[in-house]
Amino acid sequence: MKTINPYLGFDGNCREAMAFYQTCFGGELQFQTFEESPMECPSGKEGQILHSSLTGDNFLFMATDMTPPDGFKSGSEISLAISFDTESEIRKVYVLLSQQGKFIDDLKDSFWGSIFGVVQDKFGKIWMLDHEKKP
């Protein structure tokens, strides 16, 4: 495993929140809107943030305006994003975390060049798993 990073969820104000965090912590801020991705844009989400990252010397945290299927719940919208070194490692952890939990997004090739999947563990915590494929 390489890193574990927080992934914050917002209800349409991700850009504003991440800009605020940049003033607090510094770092480089990047955004990708739903429109800028090859994903089908949910109605009403045009211009909202699909993915953002704030990167500093010793930190990385990410955020989105994408809401879970059961809607936005203030106070519980944080996930843990894990980057893995190997495909076998990500596949093993994906299966282990899902035991008595549920699959949210199947482990599969993503448009950004990684193997990616999301699982909710038996304690209700959301894990976003990513393995960047190397050419």
Side-chain angles (χ1 to χ4, degrees):
M1 186 178 343
K2 294 194 304 190
T3 59
I4 297 179
N5 302 93
Y7 205 109
L8 307 173
F10 294 93
D11 194 20
N13 59 346
C14 180
R15 183 181 300 274
E16 176 186 1
M18 292 297 277
F20 170 73
Y21 297 143
Q22 184 182 33
T23 65
C24 295
F25 302 112
E28 180 182 343
L29 183 56
Q30 296 180 334
F31 294 105
Q32 180 181 38
T33 64
F34 285 96
E35 296 171 312
E36 296 168 336
S37 81
M39 291 179 60
E40 185 175 322
C41 183
S43 179
K45 293 283 188 178
E46 301 85 356
Q48 288 191 358
I49 304 302
L50 172 64
H51 176 77
S52 66
S53 61
L54 181 60
T55 308
D57 290 338
N58 296 311
F59 67 88
L60 164 66
F61 63 96
M62 300 164 283
T64 185
D65 280 321
M66 193 171 214
T67 55
D70 56 346
F72 182 81
K73 293 181 181 99
S74 184
S76 63
E77 61 289 331
I78 187 166
S79 301
L80 295 171
I82 305 177
S83 297
F84 291 89
D85 291 322
T86 67
E87 185 172 341
S88 61
E89 189 178 27
I90 190 174
R91 292 190 183 284
K92 174 185 172 187
V93 171
Y94 182 77
V95 169
L96 291 171
L97 281 172
S98 67
Q99 292 176 0
Q100 298 178 26
K102 66 180 182 179
F103 298 108
I104 294 174
D105 192 6
D106 292 335
L107 200 59
K108 62 184 175 292
D109 290 340
S110 67
F111 68 84
W112 59 87
S114 290
I115 296 172
F116 179 79
V118 182
V119 65
Q120 183 176 32
D121 69 22
K122 64 183 177 180
F123 303 104
K125 303 305 178 205
I126 305 294
W127 298 86
M128 304 170 72
L129 311 178
D130 187 84
H131 166 63
E132 183 181 346
K133 291 179 170 184
K134 306 279 193 271

